[in-house]
Amino acid sequence: MQATLDASRIKAISLDLDDTLWPIWPVIARAELALQDWLRPHAPATAEFLTDGERRLTLRREVQASRPEIGHDLRTLRQELIRRALQRHDEDTMLVEPAYEVFIAERMRVELYEDARPALAWLAQRYPVVALSNGNADVQRIGLGEFFHAGFSAQEFGVGKPDARFFHAAAQAAGVLPQEVLHVGDDAALDVVGALDAGLQTVWVNRAGHDWAHDSHRPHATVGDMQALCALLGAGS
């Protein structure tokens, strides 16, 4: 059953970041290349190993299987992946920290969708906006901090979406009740189903025009981009 968005109830916005405000995979690809380039003079065997996407994925799965408790913590997960790659090739594991800093610096260089910044400015003038990300983007380092009242990442909070505690933390940070928060994001399961189960209203940002695949849940509204979200909220206010 299709829920109906009630804009009059909205007192705060919680907002996903990756693939909602910018495409994430080009960013990760650049960060992987930056990491490999930095490692090449310091740990050439590890650098060569990490050039192969299948080998990286296999190693990542090994780390996740052996250390499930860090699944939400992308920083520790990435550092452990680098450490194991270095260790496997008998290269200096003291390189983990500086190598990770190279990766994360590039990861923070995102290219916003054209609609993202104007939409953030519009939303921030009307609501407290709280970032909720399972990724490790930092809105301050990215240069968007002025638009956000608060922000939470799964690696800092200890759990991520779809855990209800994560969504409720956004409501608490904004000083409102969960049912007074509109959560906006691109991931049907993590963002929409998770937020619905936590008692929030939801808008699905469906840039690629995917079909909805969760019969027991439906977003309160679906938009193609962030400007359409602003138009929707402006029309309903």
Side-chain angles (χ1 to χ4, degrees):
M1 181 176 177
Q2 176 68 55
T4 301
L5 182 69
D6 183 356
S8 68
R9 282 172 44 200
I10 302 169
K11 295 184 179 178
I13 304 286
S14 60
L15 184 62
D16 175 59
L17 301 177
D18 294 331
D19 285 331
T20 297
L21 300 181
W22 55 77
I24 185 55
W25 290 112
V27 178
I28 298 301
R30 290 199 311 270
E32 294 283 8
L33 289 174
L35 171 63
Q36 294 157 26
D37 288 345
W38 186 87
L39 282 170
R40 203 159 278 118
H42 304 287
T46 298
E48 176 59 27
F49 173 82
L50 292 176
T51 60
D52 187 291
E54 284 300 317
R55 288 189 300 224
R56 290 199 309 269
L57 182 58
T58 298
L59 182 56
R60 185 183 183 90
R61 287 171 176 163
E62 288 176 15
V63 173
Q64 290 172 319
S66 64
R67 297 196 60 189
E69 77 281 1
I70 66 170
H72 65 278
D73 186 343
L74 297 186
R75 176 178 55 228
T76 302
L77 186 62
R78 173 65 60 172
Q79 289 174 340
E80 181 64 8
L81 186 153
I82 296 169
R83 187 188 69 78
R84 291 192 187 195
L86 289 164
Q87 197 171 49
R88 181 170 296 184
H89 295 92
D90 296 318
E91 292 178 321
D92 188 2
T93 56
M94 294 296 288
L95 295 172
V96 169
E97 287 289 344
Y100 176 76
E101 286 306 315
V102 169
F103 176 88
I104 200 65
E106 190 65 27
R107 191 261 184 268
M108 297 300 171
R109 292 181 59 245
V110 304
E111 294 183 16
L112 299 176
Y113 292 118
E114 280 189 19
D115 53 273
R117 187 177 290 273
L120 283 172
W122 190 91
L123 291 169
Q125 288 177 351
R126 291 160 177 82
Y127 308 97
V129 181
V130 180
L132 279 186
S133 179
N134 282 13
N136 50 8
D138 182 326
V139 294
Q140 300 295 336
R141 287 184 69 173
I142 286 171
L144 299 175
E146 64 185 295
F147 302 119
F148 288 91
H149 176 78
F152 296 95
S153 69
Q155 71 182 25
E156 295 169 345
F157 190 73
V159 298
K161 296 172 289 188
D163 194 298
R165 291 171 291 177
F166 203 44
F167 294 103
H168 292 169
Q172 185 174 13
V176 302
L177 298 173
Q179 60 266 32
E180 295 173 324
V181 178
L182 174 66
H183 182 70
V184 179
D186 74 288
D187 192 293
L190 299 179
D191 287 305
V192 178
V193 175
L196 288 169
D197 285 342
L200 284 66
Q201 293 196 85
T202 64
V203 169
W204 184 30
V205 181
N206 183 18
R207 293 180 181 274
H210 294 302
D211 292 331
W212 182 256
H214 300 269
D215 291 339
S216 61
H217 297 73
R218 296 207 58 96
H220 290 81
T222 299
V223 296
D225 59 30
M226 293 294 292
Q227 284 296 97
L229 170 70
C230 297
L232 175 68
L233 296 180
S237 61

